[in-house]
Structures are given as C-alpha cells and as structure tokens.
Amino acid sequence: MNKLGLRTYSGLPVSVGEDSRWVLAFLRQHRESPHDAVDVAYMGLIADWLGNALHQSAQKELLQRIALTDPLTGLPTGARPRSDCKSERARTPRDGHGFALALVDLDHFKMVNDRYGHAVGDEVLKAAARRFESGMREGDWVARWGGEEFLFVLHGSTVEEAASVMERLASQAVRRRSRPVLAPFP
Amino acid sequence: MSFSAGVAAFGVNDSEILPMLEKIDHALYRAKADGRDQVRMAAQSSVS
C-alpha cells in the first residue's frame, strides 16, 4: 500500500440482499483529513448501487436455474423434463405400458453458430423445436434438454417404434432442407 | 439440418430412470461417432 502511495482507507459495507459479508474499500493517496461528508455520501451511493447490482444478478441466475420453460423455444427445460421423467416412470406400472426416451442432438450446430452467429443458431433451435413439437402424438412430449439437445418421451412405444418415429422426423428434416434454385442466366 | 438420436425404451419392469438416461446418452454418442444423421437404439436390458 505504501509503495503505491495509498495512505487512507475507507471501508463501506455492501449489502447483497440479506448478505452483508462484503466491504467496498476506497483507498486514497492523500494523507489529509479523512473523507468529507460529500465523499462519504458518494461512497454510500456506490456501495448501495453495487449491492443492488450484485443482488439482481444473483436473483437472475437463480431464476434461470429454476426456470422451467426455455424462453427461446417455449419447450420445458431445466429441472422440469428431469422431474417429468420421474413421474412418467412412476406412472408406468399403473398405465401397464412403458415408454421410450429419445435424445436428439442437432448435427453440426456449433459450426452453424460459429459461422453464421448466435442469432442464426437461435433460429435453427426454434425451427427444430417447432418441427419436433408438430411431429408429436397427443400426450407425448419434447423438452429442450440443454444446448442443442432435445429429449422426447413417447408413450407405449417400443424402442423400435421410437426409432422409426425419430427416423421419420429426420427424413422430414432432410426433405425440408432448402435447395438452391436454378434459374436461367439472363 | 440433420440430427442424431439415441433411443431407449423404459419397460414396466424397469425401475430406475438414471440408467435409461445414460443408455440414450451412450446411443446418441454412437450415432455421432458413426457419422451423425442417424438414429441408434440402446442395447436392451437383459432382464425384461
């Protein structure tokens, strides 16, 4: 501290929600009088602002962690598909039939993001989500498992049936792929 | 855009969801490793 020429110190508590473990330190090079009233008021404002900002970002993170619907695709996400899987499992003996799970990962998604940007990547995810949802039977569901992964639950399906549902979705994906239009050159 | 998929079935006699999730994850990994754009079925459990 001395090396840097810092001679006075003021510490203000910073409250982040209920948590006040934090101290914001102001260091000064002057040796004269401690901070005056205006300085103290400014430091108080800065400490409050910092506390609020930290609190907000902590709350936002918490909300995202417990968020049950993906804002991008509108599909269930996070803890919800995981707990829904457990409920499906619990229902199995009562329903008298099992179910199939399918985990889908979009091919070369990272490349799309890198080459065309995240806005295009987001559109790809939204389009995939819409296509998957419209291909579902009543009662079956699809969730955004994370990143470019989607989880499908198909009731009363054997693994072969589920595989053919997925094959059908995959073939639609290929058929809908846009092709270059060949037009005569003027 | 194409996709790869791992598929597994949860029978009436199966009890745990976690091993299922591991199975489909593994099946998906194989689909990716085998060149993508395909569906792979997880190995059926021997006790069902």
Side-chain angles (χ1 to χ4, degrees):
Chain A
M1 290 295 172
N2 270 337
K3 245 186 216 164
L4 294 168
L6 298 170
R7 296 202 170 78
T8 53
Y9 163 90
S10 302
L12 282 96
V14 176
S15 302
V16 181
E18 302 285 287
D19 181 7
S20 40
R21 279 177 301 171
W22 309 94
V23 172
L24 178 64
F26 290 87
L27 301 159
R28 269 196 175 184
Q29 287 178 315
H30 309 231
R31 196 197 295 254
E32 320 81 85
S33 64
H35 303 286
D36 64 25
V38 176
D39 285 347
V40 172
Y42 268 120
M43 291 190 294
L45 277 178
I46 294 169
D48 283 348
W49 170 81
L50 183 62
N52 282 333
L54 288 172
H55 187 51
Q56 273 186 4
S57 96
Q59 292 223 306
K60 199 175 151 203
E61 244 169 65
L62 181 70
L63 280 176
Q64 278 172 345
R65 193 143 41 88
I66 58 172
L68 302 175
T69 303
D70 174 35
L72 183 69
T73 60
L75 296 180
T77 195
R80 192 158 134 210
R82 285 151 178 91
S83 72
D84 285 354
C85 276
K86 290 195 184 110
S87 336
E88 296 282 0
R89 188 204 70 77
R91 275 176 41 188
T92 300
R94 203 165 59 227
D95 291 356
H97 59 72
F99 60 92
L101 280 176
L103 188 63
V104 159
D105 188 290
L106 303 182
D107 291 333
H108 307 294
F109 182 75
K110 193 185 172 303
M111 192 200 70
V112 170
N113 253 345
D114 290 348
R115 190 174 294 176
Y116 304 106
H118 288 274
V120 173
D122 283 356
E123 287 307 314
V124 168
L125 288 171
K126 272 154 79 174
R130 274 200 302 272
R131 173 155 50 86
F132 292 158
E133 264 188 319
S134 63
M136 292 282 87
R137 294 173 309 187
E138 184 87 29
D140 292 346
W141 52 268
V142 56
R144 186 164 177 207
W145 193 239
E148 69 271 30
E149 283 189 341
F150 296 85
L151 183 80
F152 291 72
V153 166
L154 308 158
H155 290 108
S157 292
T158 62
V159 66
E160 289 83 7
E161 284 161 356
S164 72
V165 169
M166 290 299 122
E167 298 275 10
R168 201 189 66 225
L169 276 175
S171 70
Q172 285 172 356
V174 173
R175 223 182 305 136
R176 288 197 195 171
R177 193 181 286 161
S178 59
R179 292 190 180 84
V181 179
L182 294 176
F185 200 75
Chain B
M1 184 164 201
S2 69
F3 64 73
S4 305
V7 183
F10 193 90
V12 182
N13 299 322
D14 289 314
S15 58
E16 290 302 316
I17 203 81
L18 208 62
M20 270 279 288
L21 293 173
E22 282 168 13
K23 272 193 202 171
I24 51 170
D25 210 40
H26 188 68
L28 171 62
Y29 173 80
R30 286 207 332 269
K32 289 264 169 192
D34 291 350
R36 298 185 173 88
D37 195 9
Q38 51 191 290
V39 180
R40 279 269 174 275
M41 288 182 260
Q44 297 276 22
S45 58
S46 48
V47 266
S48 62

